[in-house]
Amino acid sequence: MTDALKRLSEEGVAIWLDDLSRKRITSGNLAELIDQQHVVGVTTNPSIFQKAISSGEGYEQQVSDLAARKVTVEEAIRMITTADVRDAADILRPVFDATGGQDGRVSIEVDPRLAHNTQATVAEAKQLAWLVDRPNTLIKIPATRAGLPAITETIGRGISVNVTLIFSLERYREVMDAYLSGLEKAKAAGLDLSKIHSVASFFVSRVDTEIDKRIDALGTPEAKAARGKAAVANARLAYQAYEEVFSSERWSPLENAGANKQRPLWASTGVKDKAYKDTMYVDDLVAPNTVNTMPEATLFATEDHGQITGDTIAGTYEQARADLDAVEKLGISYDEVVQLLEDEGVEKFEASWIDLLKSTEAELKRLAPSEG
């Protein structure tokens, strides 16, 4: 065992766990990860909840009670998921207090079927914040075209947001703009900006998966040389954009009013290709004021053999730009890839949500009390 996770934290990277289940909460496992593996936050998404609830472990009593009350399947899912997030938030509350609200956060996503509806997304964000009722919650809003004004509106109401499903550098700049616009609204409304927090979840591994697939189809030595470089390059250029925006003239008056920077969060950091080191998306994306949300396997791999050697983003921007240009020169369109990934990301979460509806409905029927 190494002290890689400790070193990662010391470099300014907040370690969050990309997973949650009731068993993880009730067994003491989450508390243990906080205590021993330097975990300071939790992210969830529809796929994570679908997997956890479908396993059935720990949910039977609540589902049975919900069935007795004859609640709708949609209400049942809201009650189940917000209960898990509330309990996880309570476990993380000491971290939240110790870090002045920066960490100790648990994220919960708006219904992914609302990804292209601004008004419904804002309404859902307000409802989730009210239902969970914990100050250390982040409401996840996807960075779709309709999501951008929803981010501004939600931040403007003083609700902290985790912006998810960001793949492109252009969209990331739009996300930061939406955050600043939200802070400006909140400031105009007289809200305390120091209480509003946000992270921007920039997805990593899926970029390599899609681009490598296209590289492999080309099959040339020149193409193969570009393999496995695009995702890290993309994320590093995102950090460059973050540095620019949060040292700008527009940011200055907000910072003076107590506003917090929207931290870049590296999401989808589990390595999919066995040809690559399994800690690549941790080792190569170390920089101050970032978050890395890891699946459990990546967390333990980093603890075991991660190579944390200091900041691995500073001074890399020229090479990162060259790596993305090399992909473009192969005839692989960056714009096409990132748009496809955004569309697929929304579709995957929608599909997981629909699976969750179906499996929960089946459980409600199975556990419903007999009439009479």
Side-chain angles (χ1 to χ4, degrees):
M1 193 163 95
T2 70
D3 274 339
L5 295 173
K6 182 171 183 281
R7 286 204 300 276
L8 190 62
S9 300
E10 287 166 351
E11 289 294 336
V13 181
I15 299 165
W16 290 9
L17 178 72
D18 192 28
D19 190 52
L20 187 63
S21 67
R22 190 150 299 175
K23 187 183 176 192
R24 203 181 274 288
I25 291 164
T26 56
S27 67
N29 172 262
L30 178 57
E32 191 177 286
L33 292 173
I34 294 163
D35 185 49
Q36 296 179 18
Q37 274 75 34
H38 305 273
V39 168
V40 293
V42 167
T43 48
T44 68
N45 61 46
S47 301
I48 284 169
F49 278 128
Q50 192 269 329
K51 186 177 156 198
I53 296 166
S54 299
S55 79
E57 276 192 280
Y59 295 99
E60 201 159 86
Q61 183 59 59
Q62 188 182 12
V63 174
S64 178
D65 290 346
L66 292 165
R69 287 174 49 215
K70 294 185 167 59
V71 303
T72 66
V73 65
E74 307 242 345
E75 188 184 347
I77 287 169
R78 276 290 165 244
M79 293 298 105
I80 294 164
T81 58
T82 54
D84 279 358
V85 168
R86 191 180 307 113
D87 289 344
D90 288 344
I91 293 167
L92 278 154
R93 184 60 190 260
V95 176
F96 174 80
D97 292 337
T99 60
Q102 179 160 267
D103 288 308
R105 297 267 173 182
V106 186
S107 298
I108 183 168
E109 189 149 347
V110 298
D111 185 332
R113 295 171 298 174
L114 308 177
H116 303 296
N117 184 328
T118 303
Q119 198 176 346
T121 294
V122 174
E124 173 94 340
K126 285 159 58 184
Q127 171 75 355
L128 283 173
W130 177 83
L131 263 178
V132 176
D133 193 26
R134 294 294 184 271
N136 49 331
T137 313
L138 289 171
I139 306 302
K140 284 179 95 170
I141 297 176
T144 54
R145 179 65 49 208
L148 295 169
I151 293 157
T152 295
E153 185 64 27
T154 305
I155 291 288
R157 291 172 179 269
I159 297 169
S160 295
V161 172
N162 174 346
V163 184
T164 188
L165 290 176
I166 308 169
F167 296 94
S168 87
L169 294 166
E170 182 185 359
R171 183 53 54 86
Y172 177 44
R173 286 186 180 274
E174 291 172 339
V175 164
M176 289 188 284
D177 179 71
Y179 175 60
L180 295 183
S181 297
L183 288 175
E184 286 157 357
K185 282 186 83 158
K187 187 182 174 192
L191 299 182
D192 181 354
L193 299 192
S194 71
K195 297 279 196 291
I196 303 170
H197 286 259
S198 184
V199 292
S201 295
F202 199 86
F203 278 55
V204 186
S205 67
R206 294 186 197 181
V207 173
D208 271 341
T209 301
E210 183 59 34
I211 287 177
D212 284 355
K213 186 168 75 178
R214 297 172 186 222
I215 283 171
D216 292 344
L218 292 170
T220 64
E222 184 191 14
K224 284 177 184 168
R227 228 177 166 275
K229 294 179 180 176
V232 166
N234 199 36
R236 285 172 169 174
L237 292 173
Y239 192 79
Q240 181 185 33
Y242 155 79
E243 288 183 314
E244 285 171 14
V245 169
F246 290 101
S247 59
S248 66
E249 284 182 24
R250 185 181 177 191
W251 170 244
S252 200
L254 292 166
E255 187 171 41
N256 292 337
N260 300 290
K261 291 176 181 176
Q262 182 186 52
R263 288 183 293 171
L265 178 151
W266 312 128
S268 180
T269 54
V271 173
K272 310 282 195 291
D273 191 325
K274 296 221 176 344
Y276 305 143
K277 190 185 176 196
D278 57 0
T279 60
M280 176 168 87
Y281 302 129
V282 179
D283 298 349
D284 293 351
L285 294 174
V286 178
N289 214 35
T290 57
V291 179
N292 195 312
T293 187
M294 308 177 200
E296 188 176 58
T298 305
L299 178 75
F300 284 118
T302 302
E303 180 179 57
D304 182 64
H305 52 262
Q307 293 180 304
I308 310 304
T309 56
D311 190 327
T312 49
I313 293 183
T316 64
Y317 302 143
E318 201 175 320
Q319 184 59 52
R321 176 50 59 200
D323 287 342
L324 285 190
D325 286 347
V327 169
E328 201 80 38
K329 280 174 189 159
L330 293 169
I332 298 168
S333 166
Y334 172 85
D335 290 340
E336 186 193 319
V337 165
V338 292
Q339 188 58 56
L340 174 72
L341 290 171
E342 181 187 304
D343 294 343
E344 281 184 351
V346 173
E347 284 165 16
K348 281 176 185 169
F349 282 168
E350 273 187 29
S352 293
W353 196 255
I354 289 161
D355 285 347
L356 178 54
L357 285 167
K358 287 176 183 168
S359 56
T360 304
E361 189 169 32
E363 281 294 280
L364 286 167
K365 282 179 181 164
R366 183 176 75 83
L367 296 167
S370 53
E371 296 297 328

